[in-house]
Amino acid sequence: MLRWLNLSLLILYPVAWCAPLIRAGLLPLFGLSEISVLSGLQSLWETDVLLALLVTALALFAPYLKTIGLALIHFGMMRRRMLGALNVLGKLAMADVFLIALYIVVAKGVGVGRVETAWGLYLFTACIFASLAIGLLTTKNLRR
């Protein structure tokens, strides 16, 4: 069961990356622009390459590599001792969700514009939490 839940993340992560994380607008009278992980990364690449590299590593590579690594362990193609490193990747991905939440709090605190969370933030967060749970359950099952 864990292996199939884990494999479903290979589909859900790209959906979460394209889904709107937040809706933001300069003034309450104007429409809100939807921002996804991918559209946010595109903007970052134009303004701050180092931050774009960090967010790309945390939001895209860390969770996806962890999911692939867990799949390899589930199917007996990778050694079990790699679980520690894979769990670290999952925690790094969770740091990205924290960064997004921090940006929302800061933007709301400024009070100039309007920021609303969108369904993609919940999907992305759920994927990260599911990955963490799958990693923990895999570790527990392999210790038996």
Side-chain angles (χ1 to χ4, degrees), residues 32-142:
L32 299 175
S33 300
E34 292 186 338
I35 301 168
S36 68
V37 171
L38 295 180
S39 67
L41 281 173
Q42 287 174 337
S43 296
L44 274 178
W45 280 107
E46 296 169 5
T47 57
D48 191 345
V49 175
L50 289 176
L51 184 58
L53 283 170
L54 177 66
V55 173
T56 300
L58 294 176
L60 302 181
F61 295 133
Y64 218 68
L65 287 174
K66 179 188 178 191
T67 303
I68 291 169
L70 280 174
L72 292 173
I73 288 173
H74 288 150
F75 289 98
M77 301 171 84
M78 183 183 280
R79 293 188 176 154
R80 296 175 181 181
R81 61 183 153 143
M82 293 301 294
L83 272 172
L86 294 176
N87 286 329
V88 170
L89 283 176
K91 290 174 185 166
L92 287 174
M94 193 60 212
D96 194 56
V97 172
F98 172 75
L99 282 175
I100 294 168
L102 186 64
Y103 292 145
I104 292 170
V105 169
V106 168
K108 283 187 174 188
V110 172
V112 175
R114 192 167 118 202
V115 178
E116 299 173 356
T117 56
W119 65 273
L121 180 61
Y122 300 110
L123 176 62
F124 187 58
T125 304
C127 287
I128 298 296
F129 278 133
S131 179
L132 288 171
I134 291 167
L136 290 173
L137 291 171
T138 299
T139 302
K140 183 179 175 182
N141 288 343
L142 291 176

